[in-house]
Amino acid sequence: ARGQKKGRWCREAPRLRGSAGLSTSTLAARLIGAKGPITWAGIKGLEFRQRGSLMTPWGPGEWGVLRDDPERLYVDFMGQQHLVNETLWPKLLSIRCGDLEPVVIVVKE
């Protein structure tokens, strides 16, 4: 339960669903336009698609921008919520809201 309290800010971050806000985010545009593979913890198969559609090796999900910060993204799949921000392009850092576990995302261009 302690982790659940810690991650509350992450789970409750206000999300813009679908394509709302994607056009205002430089990071979102870079992900949609990525030509090479995108890896999640070294695993290929992550695709950030238009209108907030997400494909992962583990099944479909959704992604988009946070209402208060269009350069911070949410990425939700397999019942797990994540917040993602750029560290130093082409690397991004994901934080899983349930346990605050960090994961590195790499965009190959």
Side-chain angles (χ1 to χ4, degrees):
R2 181 182 166 109
Q4 292 295 319
K5 286 182 181 179
K6 268 185 161 179
R8 184 175 180 185
W9 61 269
C10 183
R11 290 188 308 281
E12 294 180 359
R15 293 154 160 75
L16 295 178
R17 301 291 180 185
S19 61
L22 290 181
S23 64
T24 65
S25 171
T26 303
L27 181 54
R30 290 177 97 173
L31 288 171
I32 291 171
K35 302 292 186 228
I38 301 174
T39 61
W40 181 281
I43 300 169
K44 292 181 185 176
L46 199 61
E47 295 178 32
F48 291 85
R49 297 181 175 174
Q50 299 283 349
R51 296 180 298 283
S53 173
L54 178 73
M55 291 307 299
T56 78
W58 308 278
E62 66 178 353
W63 74 285
V65 300
L66 296 185
R67 185 181 67 216
D68 301 330
D69 184 357
E71 296 309 316
R72 180 172 270 192
L73 308 177
Y74 71 87
V75 177
D76 298 342
F77 61 93
M78 285 189 52
Q80 296 293 319
Q81 296 173 305
H82 308 81
L83 295 186
V84 173
N85 61 287
E86 183 179 340
T87 52
L88 184 59
W89 186 263
K91 291 185 179 180
L92 304 135
L93 180 64
S94 167
I95 300 295
R96 186 170 51 205
C97 296
D99 58 7
L100 304 181
E101 180 73 23
V103 171
V104 175
I105 300 167
V106 178
V107 181
K108 307 276 187 188
E109 294 187 293

